[in-house]
Amino acid sequence: MTTQITKDMIIADILDQAPETAELFKSIGMHCLGCAMASGETLDEACSVHGVNADAFLETLNSLVVSA
């Protein structure tokens, strides 16, 4: 069972715990999921860089994880 995703989680950790989220990340332009930034950048930071509303994306991520 995956724990709830939070904005302060590192992207690589999210992907390790919930690999089904990879396509959702890619759908908003986060294509470099294996790059160095993914292993040190929080979800909140990545959303900021990509111009994505972190709260809305977080809600979508958690909905996907719960339904998986």
Side-chain angles (χ1 to χ4, degrees), residues 4-44:
Q4 184 170 0
I5 297 169
T6 63
K7 289 192 291 188
D8 63 334
M9 289 178 73
I10 302 294
I11 293 173
D13 293 341
I14 296 170
L15 293 167
D16 285 344
Q17 293 179 26
E20 68 273 19
T21 62
E23 288 304 315
L24 191 54
F25 279 104
K26 290 177 186 176
S27 76
I28 62 165
M30 293 183 195
H31 298 282
C32 186
L33 299 176
C35 71
M37 291 304 292
S39 63
E41 191 170 50
T42 66
L43 177 64
D44 195 37

Side-chain angles (χ1 to χ4, degrees), residues 23-66:
E23 288 304 315
L24 191 54
F25 279 104
K26 290 177 186 176
S27 76
I28 62 165
M30 293 183 195
H31 298 282
C32 186
L33 299 176
C35 71
M37 291 304 292
S39 63
E41 191 170 50
T42 66
L43 177 64
D44 195 37
E45 292 166 336
C47 285
S48 178
V49 168
H50 288 272
V52 173
N53 179 302
D55 292 321
F57 188 63
L58 180 64
E59 186 176 320
T60 304
L61 281 173
N62 278 312
S63 293
L64 176 66
V65 172
V66 167

